[in-house]
Amino acid sequence: MSTSPCGDDGVVLKIRVESPQPPLRAARFWMLRREDRLSPAIPRPFSLYRQQGDELEFLIKVMGAGTKALAACTPGTKLRAIGPLGNGWPTLDGEGDMWVMLAGGIGSAPFWMGVEQALAGMDGRAPCPPSKLAILYGAATKGLLYDLEGFKGLGVRVETCTMDGSHGLKGHVLQLLEDLQRRGELPHKVRLLACGPERMLEAVEEHARASGLPCWLSLETMMGCGVGICNGCPVPTLPDGPMGAWSNAKCCVEGPVFSIECVTMGS
Ligand SMILES: Cc1cc2nc3c(=O)[nH]c(=O)nc-3n(C[C@H](O)[C@H](O)[C@H](O)COP(=O)(O)OP(=O)(O)OC[C@H]3O[C@@H](n4cnc5c(N)ncnc54)[C@H](O)[C@@H]3O)c2cc1C
Ligand code: FES
Protein backbone atom coordinates (compact mmCIF):
# COMPACT_ATOMS: atom_id res chain seq x y z
CA MET A 1 0.00 0.00 0.00
CA SER A 2 1.20 3.48 -0.81
CA THR A 3 -0.13 6.95 -1.43
CA SER A 4 1.28 9.69 -3.60
CA PRO A 5 -0.01 13.23 -3.93
CA CYS A 6 -1.84 14.17 -7.11
CA GLY A 7 -2.98 17.66 -8.03
CA ASP A 8 -3.95 20.31 -5.46
CA ASP A 9 -6.05 18.07 -3.20
CA GLY A 10 -5.76 14.49 -4.46
CA VAL A 11 -3.84 11.30 -3.82
CA VAL A 12 -3.27 8.11 -5.74
CA LEU A 13 -3.85 5.24 -3.34
CA LYS A 14 -2.26 1.95 -4.37
CA ILE A 15 -3.38 -1.22 -2.63
CA ARG A 16 -2.89 -4.95 -3.06
CA VAL A 17 -6.06 -6.99 -2.58
CA GLU A 18 -5.96 -10.49 -1.18
CA SER A 19 -8.02 -12.23 -3.87
CA PRO A 20 -6.56 -12.56 -7.40
CA GLN A 21 -8.27 -10.14 -9.79
CA PRO A 22 -8.96 -10.74 -13.49
CA PRO A 23 -8.62 -7.67 -15.71
CA LEU A 24 -11.45 -5.43 -14.52
CA ARG A 25 -13.64 -3.26 -16.70
CA ALA A 26 -13.01 0.48 -16.56
CA ALA A 27 -15.54 2.50 -14.53
CA ARG A 28 -16.22 -0.35 -12.09
CA PHE A 29 -15.71 0.69 -8.49
CA TRP A 30 -14.75 -0.42 -4.98
CA MET A 31 -16.02 0.52 -1.54
CA LEU A 32 -13.06 1.43 0.68
CA ARG A 33 -12.50 2.15 4.34
CA ARG A 34 -9.70 1.72 6.83
CA GLU A 35 -10.00 -1.13 9.30
CA ASP A 36 -9.04 1.16 12.18
CA ARG A 37 -11.27 3.81 13.74
CA LEU A 38 -9.96 6.64 11.61
CA SER A 39 -12.44 5.90 8.78
CA PRO A 40 -16.20 6.50 9.15
CA ALA A 41 -18.12 3.22 9.58
CA ILE A 42 -19.66 3.44 6.10
CA PRO A 43 -17.15 2.72 3.35
CA ARG A 44 -16.82 5.18 0.46
CA PRO A 45 -17.07 4.35 -3.25
CA PHE A 46 -14.15 4.96 -5.65
CA SER A 47 -13.70 4.18 -9.32
CA LEU A 48 -10.87 1.91 -10.23
CA TYR A 49 -8.18 4.16 -11.67
CA ARG A 50 -5.53 1.64 -12.74
CA GLN A 51 -4.92 -2.07 -12.31
CA GLN A 52 -1.97 -4.41 -12.48
CA GLY A 53 -3.23 -7.82 -11.42
CA ASP A 54 -4.22 -7.65 -7.77
CA GLU A 55 -2.58 -4.23 -7.38
CA LEU A 56 -5.26 -1.55 -7.68
CA GLU A 57 -4.95 2.21 -7.81
CA PHE A 58 -7.56 4.81 -6.90
CA LEU A 59 -7.41 8.52 -7.66
CA ILE A 60 -8.97 10.20 -4.64
CA LYS A 61 -9.98 13.81 -4.07
CA VAL A 62 -9.78 14.62 -0.38
CA MET A 63 -13.20 15.87 0.70
CA GLY A 64 -14.22 14.85 4.24
CA ALA A 65 -13.52 12.27 6.93
CA GLY A 66 -13.57 9.20 4.66
CA THR A 67 -11.19 10.49 2.01
CA LYS A 68 -8.92 12.19 4.60
CA ALA A 69 -8.49 8.84 6.36
CA LEU A 70 -7.65 7.07 3.11
CA ALA A 71 -5.19 9.77 2.07
CA ALA A 72 -3.42 9.36 5.43
CA CYS A 73 -2.78 5.62 4.91
CA THR A 74 0.81 4.53 5.31
CA PRO A 75 2.48 1.24 4.33
CA GLY A 76 0.91 -1.45 6.50
CA THR A 77 -2.44 0.31 7.06
CA LYS A 78 -5.16 -2.33 6.78
CA LEU A 79 -8.07 -1.49 4.49
CA ARG A 80 -11.45 -3.08 3.92
CA ALA A 81 -11.96 -3.15 0.14
CA ILE A 82 -15.25 -4.44 -1.27
CA GLY A 83 -15.29 -4.95 -5.02
CA PRO A 84 -15.21 -4.99 -7.91
CA LEU A 85 -18.72 -3.48 -8.03
CA GLY A 86 -20.99 -2.02 -10.69
CA ASN A 87 -21.03 -2.34 -14.45
CA GLY A 88 -18.39 -0.16 -16.14
CA TRP A 89 -18.30 1.61 -19.50
CA PRO A 90 -20.09 0.11 -22.52
CA THR A 91 -17.98 -1.59 -25.19
CA LEU A 92 -15.78 1.18 -26.58
CA ASP A 93 -15.58 -0.13 -30.15
CA GLY A 94 -13.90 1.55 -33.09
CA GLU A 95 -16.68 0.91 -35.57
CA GLY A 96 -19.13 3.77 -35.11
CA ASP A 97 -18.80 7.46 -34.34
CA MET A 98 -15.94 8.89 -32.35
CA TRP A 99 -15.98 8.54 -28.54
CA VAL A 100 -15.57 11.80 -26.64
CA MET A 101 -14.81 11.42 -22.93
CA LEU A 102 -15.93 14.40 -20.88
CA ALA A 103 -14.06 14.43 -17.57
CA GLY A 104 -14.80 16.92 -14.81
CA GLY A 105 -12.02 17.13 -12.19
CA ILE A 106 -11.76 13.89 -10.24
CA GLY A 107 -14.32 12.47 -12.70
CA SER A 108 -11.29 11.67 -14.87
CA ALA A 109 -10.56 8.57 -12.74
CA PRO A 110 -12.61 6.01 -14.73
CA PHE A 111 -11.26 7.24 -18.07
CA TRP A 112 -7.64 6.09 -17.71
CA MET A 113 -8.50 2.43 -18.06
CA GLY A 114 -11.35 3.33 -20.43
CA VAL A 115 -8.77 4.65 -22.91
CA GLU A 116 -6.41 1.71 -22.36
CA GLN A 117 -9.19 -0.85 -22.84
CA ALA A 118 -10.67 0.88 -25.91
CA LEU A 119 -7.23 1.00 -27.56
CA ALA A 120 -6.64 -2.67 -26.74
CA GLY A 121 -10.09 -3.78 -28.01
CA MET A 122 -12.98 -4.67 -25.70
CA ASP A 123 -15.34 -7.65 -25.60
CA GLY A 124 -13.72 -9.30 -28.62
CA ARG A 125 -14.15 -6.18 -30.78
CA ALA A 126 -11.39 -4.66 -32.90
CA PRO A 127 -9.28 -2.05 -31.10
CA CYS A 128 -10.56 1.50 -31.25
CA PRO A 129 -8.07 3.61 -33.23
CA PRO A 130 -6.60 6.52 -31.24
CA SER A 131 -8.11 8.95 -33.77
CA LYS A 132 -11.57 7.84 -32.64
CA LEU A 133 -11.02 8.76 -28.99
CA ALA A 134 -10.62 12.13 -27.29
CA ILE A 135 -10.61 13.28 -23.69
CA LEU A 136 -11.99 16.72 -22.94
CA TYR A 137 -10.73 17.38 -19.43
CA GLY A 138 -12.17 20.28 -17.44
CA ALA A 139 -11.80 21.57 -13.89
CA ALA A 140 -12.24 24.69 -11.83
CA THR A 141 -8.52 25.38 -11.96
CA LYS A 142 -5.28 23.88 -13.31
CA GLY A 143 -4.37 22.05 -10.08
CA LEU A 144 -7.60 20.04 -10.26
CA LEU A 145 -6.71 18.54 -13.65
CA TYR A 146 -5.36 15.46 -11.85
CA ASP A 147 -2.49 13.58 -13.53
CA LEU A 148 -2.90 15.60 -16.73
CA GLU A 149 0.56 14.65 -18.01
CA GLY A 150 -0.25 10.98 -17.45
CA PHE A 151 -3.49 11.27 -19.43
CA LYS A 152 -1.60 13.01 -22.23
CA GLY A 153 0.74 10.03 -22.35
CA LEU A 154 -2.08 7.58 -23.12
CA GLY A 155 -1.81 8.27 -26.84
CA VAL A 156 -5.16 9.93 -27.52
CA ARG A 157 -6.07 13.56 -27.97
CA VAL A 158 -6.47 15.42 -24.67
CA GLU A 159 -7.93 18.94 -24.60
CA THR A 160 -8.37 20.95 -21.43
CA CYS A 161 -10.48 23.76 -20.05
CA THR A 162 -10.66 25.50 -16.71
CA MET A 163 -13.25 27.83 -15.26
CA ASP A 164 -10.56 30.36 -14.26
CA GLY A 165 -8.64 30.10 -17.54
CA SER A 166 -5.47 28.82 -15.83
CA HIS A 167 -5.17 25.92 -18.34
CA GLY A 168 -6.70 25.42 -21.77
CA LEU A 169 -9.93 27.07 -22.84
CA LYS A 170 -11.61 29.28 -20.25
CA GLY A 171 -14.97 27.63 -19.63
CA HIS A 172 -16.54 24.21 -19.10
CA VAL A 173 -16.27 20.96 -21.04
CA LEU A 174 -19.36 21.53 -23.16
CA GLN A 175 -18.00 24.89 -24.28
CA LEU A 176 -14.75 23.09 -25.15
CA LEU A 177 -16.67 20.45 -27.12
CA GLU A 178 -18.63 23.09 -29.02
CA ASP A 179 -15.48 25.13 -29.64
CA LEU A 180 -13.65 22.13 -31.14
CA GLN A 181 -16.67 21.20 -33.23
CA ARG A 182 -17.07 24.78 -34.51
CA ARG A 183 -13.42 24.79 -35.55
CA GLY A 184 -13.87 21.48 -37.37
CA GLU A 185 -11.44 19.68 -35.03
CA LEU A 186 -14.08 17.25 -33.77
CA PRO A 187 -17.07 15.87 -35.67
CA HIS A 188 -20.57 16.94 -34.64
CA LYS A 189 -21.74 13.36 -34.48
CA VAL A 190 -19.93 11.78 -31.54
CA ARG A 191 -20.68 9.36 -28.71
CA LEU A 192 -20.34 10.95 -25.28
CA LEU A 193 -19.09 9.41 -22.04
CA ALA A 194 -19.10 11.68 -19.01
CA CYS A 195 -18.05 11.61 -15.37
CA GLY A 196 -17.86 14.62 -13.10
CA PRO A 197 -19.84 16.84 -10.76
CA GLU A 198 -23.64 16.54 -10.78
CA ARG A 199 -24.22 19.91 -12.45
CA MET A 200 -21.82 19.02 -15.23
CA LEU A 201 -23.59 15.70 -15.84
CA GLU A 202 -26.98 17.43 -15.92
CA ALA A 203 -25.68 19.82 -18.57
CA VAL A 204 -24.10 16.98 -20.56
CA GLU A 205 -27.37 15.06 -20.50
CA GLU A 206 -29.31 18.12 -21.66
CA HIS A 207 -26.82 18.74 -24.47
CA ALA A 208 -26.85 15.11 -25.60
CA ARG A 209 -30.66 15.01 -25.68
CA ALA A 210 -30.90 18.30 -27.56
CA SER A 211 -28.27 17.16 -30.09
CA GLY A 212 -29.49 13.57 -30.39
CA LEU A 213 -26.13 12.15 -29.30
CA PRO A 214 -25.69 8.76 -27.61
CA CYS A 215 -24.41 9.41 -24.10
CA TRP A 216 -23.39 7.41 -21.03
CA LEU A 217 -22.91 8.95 -17.60
CA SER A 218 -20.88 7.47 -14.76
CA LEU A 219 -22.81 8.67 -11.72
CA GLU A 220 -21.44 9.42 -8.27
CA THR A 221 -24.53 9.13 -6.07
CA MET A 222 -24.30 8.74 -2.30
CA MET A 223 -23.81 5.08 -1.46
CA GLY A 224 -24.21 3.14 1.75
CA CYS A 225 -23.58 -0.51 0.96
CA GLY A 226 -22.50 -0.60 -2.70
CA VAL A 227 -24.16 -3.97 -3.21
CA GLY A 228 -27.87 -3.27 -3.67
CA ILE A 229 -29.13 -3.74 -0.10
CA CYS A 230 -29.60 -0.28 1.47
CA ASN A 231 -31.54 1.53 -1.29
CA GLY A 232 -29.25 4.49 -0.69
CA CYS A 233 -28.36 5.19 -4.32
CA PRO A 234 -31.57 5.70 -6.34
CA VAL A 235 -31.36 7.14 -9.86
CA PRO A 236 -34.65 8.18 -11.55
CA THR A 237 -35.40 6.07 -14.63
CA LEU A 238 -37.17 7.25 -17.77
CA PRO A 239 -40.69 5.70 -17.74
CA ASP A 240 -40.49 4.89 -21.47
CA GLY A 241 -36.88 3.68 -21.36
CA PRO A 242 -35.48 0.15 -21.05
CA MET A 243 -35.38 0.46 -17.23
CA GLY A 244 -38.80 2.12 -16.93
CA ALA A 245 -40.49 -0.84 -15.22
CA TRP A 246 -39.11 0.62 -11.96
CA SER A 247 -39.16 4.32 -11.07
CA ASN A 248 -35.58 4.18 -9.80
CA ALA A 249 -32.48 2.20 -10.66
CA LYS A 250 -29.83 1.32 -8.08
CA CYS A 251 -26.66 3.14 -9.00
CA CYS A 252 -24.43 0.59 -7.26
CA VAL A 253 -25.64 -2.55 -9.04
CA GLU A 254 -27.27 -1.28 -12.26
CA GLY A 255 -24.70 1.52 -12.66
CA PRO A 256 -22.67 3.50 -11.99
CA VAL A 257 -22.70 3.87 -15.80
CA PHE A 258 -26.09 4.55 -17.37
CA SER A 259 -27.16 5.42 -20.88
CA ILE A 260 -29.36 8.50 -20.99
CA GLU A 261 -31.88 6.25 -22.76
CA CYS A 262 -32.43 4.68 -19.32
CA VAL A 263 -32.11 7.36 -16.63
CA THR A 264 -32.20 11.10 -16.16
CA MET A 265 -30.26 13.48 -13.93
CA GLY A 266 -33.03 16.07 -14.27
CA SER A 267 -35.42 16.37 -11.34
C1 LIG B 1 -19.38 4.98 -8.21
C2 LIG B 1 -18.61 6.11 -7.56
C3 LIG B 1 -17.29 6.31 -7.93
C4 LIG B 1 -16.56 7.34 -7.34
N1 LIG B 1 -15.27 7.48 -7.72
C5 LIG B 1 -14.51 8.41 -7.12
C6 LIG B 1 -13.12 8.52 -7.46
O1 LIG B 1 -12.59 7.78 -8.30
N2 LIG B 1 -12.40 9.45 -6.80
C7 LIG B 1 -12.95 10.28 -5.84
O2 LIG B 1 -12.23 11.10 -5.26
N3 LIG B 1 -14.24 10.21 -5.54
C8 LIG B 1 -15.04 9.29 -6.13
N4 LIG B 1 -16.37 9.19 -5.77
C9 LIG B 1 -16.91 10.13 -4.77
C10 LIG B 1 -16.47 9.69 -3.39
O3 LIG B 1 -17.12 8.48 -3.06
C11 LIG B 1 -16.82 10.78 -2.34
O4 LIG B 1 -16.06 11.93 -2.60
C12 LIG B 1 -16.49 10.28 -0.96
O5 LIG B 1 -17.44 9.29 -0.60
C13 LIG B 1 -16.52 11.41 0.04
O6 LIG B 1 -16.34 10.87 1.32
P1 LIG B 1 -15.79 11.75 2.53
O7 LIG B 1 -16.06 11.03 3.79
O8 LIG B 1 -14.39 12.20 2.30
O9 LIG B 1 -16.63 13.09 2.44
P2 LIG B 1 -17.96 13.50 3.22
O10 LIG B 1 -17.58 14.52 4.22
O11 LIG B 1 -18.75 12.34 3.67
O12 LIG B 1 -18.74 14.20 2.04
C14 LIG B 1 -18.13 15.06 1.16
C15 LIG B 1 -18.92 15.02 -0.15
O13 LIG B 1 -18.93 13.67 -0.69
C16 LIG B 1 -20.28 13.19 -0.84
N5 LIG B 1 -20.36 11.79 -0.33
C17 LIG B 1 -20.22 11.41 0.97
N6 LIG B 1 -20.38 10.08 1.11
C18 LIG B 1 -20.61 9.59 -0.12
C19 LIG B 1 -20.86 8.30 -0.60
N7 LIG B 1 -20.90 7.22 0.18
N8 LIG B 1 -21.07 8.17 -1.93
C20 LIG B 1 -21.01 9.22 -2.73
N9 LIG B 1 -20.79 10.48 -2.34
C21 LIG B 1 -20.59 10.67 -1.05
C22 LIG B 1 -21.15 14.13 -0.01
O14 LIG B 1 -22.39 14.35 -0.65
C23 LIG B 1 -20.39 15.43 0.03
O15 LIG B 1 -20.70 16.23 -1.09
C24 LIG B 1 -17.14 8.20 -6.36
C25 LIG B 1 -18.48 8.00 -5.99
C26 LIG B 1 -19.20 6.97 -6.61
C27 LIG B 1 -20.63 6.74 -6.21
S1 FES C 1 -25.53 1.73 -2.14
FE1 FES C 1 -26.83 0.40 -1.06
S2 FES C 1 -28.34 -0.11 -2.55
FE2 FES C 1 -26.87 1.03 -3.67
Side-chain angles (χ1 to χ4, degrees):
M1 113 112 53
S2 67
T3 57
S4 50
C6 189
D8 283 353
D9 61 0
V11 293
V12 175
L13 171 68
K14 188 190 279 192
I15 63 171
R16 190 180 293 279
V17 288
E18 278 167 8
S19 50
Q21 296 296 316
L24 301 172
R25 197 175 189 89
R28 300 195 72 194
F29 71 97
W30 290 66
M31 300 290 285
L32 301 180
R33 71 179 293 271
R34 290 170 65 135
E35 292 273 20
D36 59 28
R37 286 164 181 265
L38 287 183
S39 274
I42 299 174
R44 304 302 200 226
F46 298 95
S47 303
L48 183 57
Y49 180 45
R50 288 188 289 233
Q51 177 188 11
Q52 275 194 318
D54 55 4
E55 203 168 79
L56 311 179
E57 285 183 77
F58 300 91
L59 176 57
I60 297 178
K61 179 183 179 75
V62 178
M63 305 274 291
T67 48
K68 271 188 195 135
L70 291 172
C73 286
T74 50
T77 306
K78 287 266 178 270
L79 287 189
R80 183 161 305 170
I82 305 164
L85 303 170
N87 55 359
W89 295 122
T91 306
L92 305 177
D93 61 68
E95 285 141 34
D97 294 321
M98 182 171 182
W99 294 100
V100 175
M101 301 174 159
L102 302 173
I106 203 71
S108 59
F111 288 120
W112 184 289
M113 285 177 43
V115 170
E116 282 184 336
Q117 292 175 4
L119 294 178
M122 293 174 74
D123 302 327
R125 306 289 276 275
C128 182
S131 59
K132 282 207 166 185
L133 272 177
I135 303 176
L136 307 193
Y137 195 172
T141 189
K142 186 172 140 188
L144 304 180
L145 292 167
Y146 305 93
D147 205 358
L148 177 60
E149 292 311 311
F151 277 98
K152 284 184 178 167
L154 287 174
V156 302
R157 181 168 185 180
V158 179
E159 296 285 344
T160 61
C161 60
T162 46
M163 294 311 288
D164 65 1
S166 53
H167 202 285
L169 182 95
K170 183 170 184 186
H172 54 68
V173 285
L174 284 175
Q175 289 171 313
L176 179 57
L177 174 66
E178 285 171 343
D179 183 64
L180 292 165
Q181 288 174 327
R182 197 170 39 245
R183 291 195 276 125
E185 293 189 30
L186 282 184
H188 284 272
K189 223 163 153 277
V190 293
R191 294 178 283 183
L192 297 176
L193 304 167
C195 185
E198 201 171 316
R199 279 179 51 198
M200 171 190 140
L201 296 187
E202 285 169 6
V204 170
E205 179 194 341
E206 201 180 315
H207 175 83
R209 288 195 195 287
S211 315
L213 298 178
C215 175
W216 288 261
L217 308 173
S218 184
L219 303 184
E220 296 193 352
T221 62
M222 295 289 281
M223 286 188 186
C225 66
V227 293
I229 296 167
C230 72
N231 285 328
C233 60
V235 182
T237 57
L238 290 173
D240 298 331
M243 292 181 151
W246 298 91
S247 55
N248 287 296
K250 289 182 182 181
C251 187
C252 63
V253 287
E254 290 160 290
V257 177
F258 293 95
S259 158
I260 62 164
E261 287 182 357
C262 299
V263 304
T264 179
M265 299 285 296
S267 42

